[in-house]
Amino acid sequence: MKMKKAILSCLMLMAGLSVSAQEQKGTTEYIFEPNFYIQLQGGARYTTGETDFGKLISPTIQGAIGYNFNKALGARLGVNAWQSKGGYDIPATAGIAAYKVDYKFTSIAPALDLTLNLSNLFFGVGPKKFDFGVFIGVGANIRSAASDEVKDIKAKIERDYNIPEATWAFMPSDYLESGVFVTGRGGIFADYKITDQFAIGLEVNGNILSDKFNYKKAGNPDSYFNAMLGLKYAFGPTYTTKFIPDPEPQIEYVEKIVEKIVEVPAPEPVIEPIRRDVFFLINKYNIRESEEQKVKDIVDYMRANQTARVMVTGYADAGTGNDRINDRLAAQRADAVVKMLTEKYGIPADRISYDSKGARVQPFADNDSNRVSICIAEIQK
C-alpha cells in the first residue's frame, strides 16, 4: 500500500511541474488613454475670388492645443493666421482695356473644433502607424482694415470707369474697415505616427464667413481653404496594454486500484524544467510588482534543486524603435532579471546564464508580448 501511494504522489508531482513549465498564452488588450496634445502646422491658403487661381494662393500657419476624451471624440482650440488674397478681373468697357488686379491682407482666426477619430472608431487603438478623421468647428476671423494697396485699386477703378464712389457698390467704404466675422469650418486630417507620441500630420479644411471678408460686395458668403502639414505631440501614452492569460487547464487525477502490489524500488521523480516570461512596458526595463512573482517562482525552483541552472534571454518588440535602441533594451531587460536573482534573492551568479536578442528574434506573434525576458530553469545532470 505504501508503494502505491508513493507512485501516485510522483505522478501528481510530475503533472503539476509539466503544467507550470508550459509557455504562457493569452491575448493582449489595448486600452485608450485620454491625452492632451499640441500641434504646429504650416501650408497654403486659397481664398475664393474672381481672378486666376494662382493669384489667390497665400501662406498660412496654425497652432493648436487639444484633448482626446476617448478613442473617438476630442476637442481642439487652434489659431490660424497670416495672409489671404483677393482679386478681380476688370472687364474692358468704353475704350478702357481689360486688366486684372489682386491684393493681399492679413487676418487671425481662433476656432474651437470637435474632432472624430475614424481610425480608432473602426480599427481600434493600439500600435498602428496611421490615424485619420474629420472635424467641425466654429470661430472668429479678425481681419485687418484695407491697406493702401486695396484703397488704390478702389480709387483706380472709380477713376478709370468714372464712377462716383457713392454709386459704386463693388467695394463700399464700410467693407474696407477692419472686422470680426463669425466663421464656420470643417475638414479632414491624417497623421503618420513616428512614435506613440510624435506624429506628422496633414490637414485640409474649408472655412465660410461674411461677404465682407475680401472687401468686395458680391451678395454671397466668402470662403477660403487651407492645406497644411505639421507636427503633433501627445503628452503621455495614447494607449496602454493589458495581458490576459488563457485559463489554466483543469487537471483530473484518477487513482487506479491495484489488486496485487509488487514490492519494487520506487523510481526517482522526474523534475521538469520551469519557464517564466517576465513582461515589460514599452521602452522600459524595470520589473513591475505584477511580474516579480515570476522571478520568485524561478528562485523557489533553484532553491529546491541545488543542481539547477537558469538561462535568461532578453527581447524587444520590432514594432517600435530601431536595432540600436532595441539591442540596448533587450540587454537591460535580461540584466534586470539577473540582478534581482543575485542581489535580492541571493542566487549565485555561476548558476545563471543570460543573453539578449534585441528585436531580431520575436518569440511571440503578438508584437507587445516581445517586450520580455524569458527565463528557463532546469536541473543539470
Side-chain angles (χ1 to χ4, degrees):
M1 192 67 182
K2 292 181 179 180
M3 181 58 64
K4 183 181 70 172
K5 291 183 177 180
I7 293 173
L8 180 60
S9 299
C10 290
L11 291 174
M12 294 176 64
L13 178 60
M14 290 166 60
L17 289 175
S18 177
V19 170
S20 66
Q22 290 178 1
E23 179 181 318
Q24 184 175 12
K25 296 182 179 179
T27 58
T28 298
E29 179 182 350
Y30 298 105
I31 303 170
F32 175 82
E33 291 292 337
N35 60 89
F36 281 98
Y37 64 87
I38 57 174
Q39 198 172 27
L40 183 62
Q41 302 164 295
R45 170 180 293 181
Y46 168 69
T47 310
T48 54
E50 296 82 12
T51 190
D52 296 339
F53 178 86
K55 292 183 177 181
L56 298 175
I57 302 295
S58 58
T60 189
I61 58 174
Q62 180 168 287
I65 182 169
Y67 185 76
N68 293 314
F69 301 101
N70 55 46
K71 71 177 184 179
L73 293 177
R76 178 180 70 172
L77 178 63
V79 178
N80 182 249
W82 199 345
Q83 194 179 96
S84 294
K85 284 192 173 182
Y88 187 70
D89 292 350
I90 308 297
T93 182
I96 302 174
Y99 60 92
K100 300 180 179 181
V101 297
D102 61 86
Y103 50 87
K104 59 188 177 184
F105 55 97
T106 59
S107 66
I108 181 170
L112 180 64
D113 299 323
L114 182 66
T115 63
L116 179 65
N117 191 313
L118 297 177
S119 59
N120 282 351
L121 188 63
F122 292 112
F123 304 108
V125 300
K128 60 183 185 294
K129 285 296 185 182
F130 289 96
D131 272 338
F132 58 88
V134 296
F135 63 89
I136 188 171
V138 64
N141 192 299
I142 307 166
R143 189 214 61 198
S144 63
S147 64
D148 291 340
E149 176 187 18
V150 177
K151 293 177 181 178
D152 289 344
I153 291 172
K154 171 181 166 64
K156 178 177 175 61
I157 296 172
E158 293 174 357
R159 182 178 64 250
D160 289 350
Y161 283 79
N162 194 26
I163 301 174
E165 194 279 337
T167 64
W168 188 61
F170 184 64
M171 280 188 171
S173 297
D174 61 321
Y175 273 50
L176 304 184
E177 299 172 357
S178 61
V180 180
F181 311 111
V182 175
T183 306
R185 71 184 207 152
I188 59 176
F189 66 87
D191 295 332
Y192 174 75
K193 302 180 77 171
I194 303 171
T195 68
D196 181 45
Q197 294 174 270
F198 276 103
I200 299 173
L202 175 66
E203 176 178 325
V204 178
N205 63 60
N207 302 260
I208 187 167
L209 64 173
S210 168
D211 183 36
K212 291 185 177 182
F213 178 66
N214 61 3
Y215 305 116
K216 298 180 299 182
K217 187 174 183 179
N220 53 265
D222 290 334
S223 60
Y224 60 87
F225 300 87
N226 296 320
M228 299 174 292
L229 189 67
L231 291 175
K232 179 188 286 186
Y233 175 74
F235 294 93
T238 62
Y239 70 93
T240 55
T241 59
K242 180 181 179 182
F243 185 75
I244 305 174
D246 289 342
E248 293 291 339
Q250 297 293 325
I251 301 175
E252 297 182 359
Y253 301 100
V254 179
E255 182 177 357
K256 183 179 180 181
I257 301 175
V258 181
E259 298 295 339
K260 183 178 180 180
I261 300 174
V262 179
E263 294 291 337
V264 295
E268 293 185 4
V270 177
I271 301 177
E272 297 289 337
I274 181 174
R275 169 175 169 166
R276 290 294 182 267
D277 300 337
V278 181
F279 293 95
F280 298 83
L281 294 178
I282 185 171
N283 202 30
K284 302 294 185 181
Y285 55 88
N286 59 298
I287 299 175
R288 296 169 289 165
E289 289 184 5
S290 60
E291 297 296 298
E292 187 173 342
Q293 180 58 46
K294 298 176 181 179
V295 180
K296 185 64 167 56
D297 291 345
I298 297 294
V299 172
D300 293 342
Y301 183 94
M302 300 285 283
R303 288 174 176 171
N305 304 281
Q306 291 300 312
T307 61
R309 292 177 56 87
V310 62
M311 179 66 188
V312 181
T313 306
Y315 299 86
D317 72 283
T320 55
N322 53 46
D323 283 342
R324 180 178 61 82
I325 294 173
N326 289 333
D327 287 344
R328 171 176 54 80
L329 268 176
Q332 289 172 328
R333 288 166 178 167
D335 187 57
V337 175
V338 172
K339 285 184 176 179
M340 181 170 285
L341 288 170
T342 56
E343 297 178 8
K344 184 169 183 177
Y345 294 108
I347 301 300
D350 60 0
R351 297 179 64 192
I352 303 171
S353 300
Y354 63 95
D355 191 11
S356 63
K357 302 296 185 181
R360 296 175 177 84
V361 177
Q362 299 288 274
F364 295 100
D366 174 63
N367 180 70
D368 291 2
S369 296
N370 292 308
R371 303 165 189 153
V372 66
S373 283
I374 296 178
C375 310
I376 300 176
E378 58 184 345
I379 297 173
Q380 301 294 308
K381 296 181 180 180

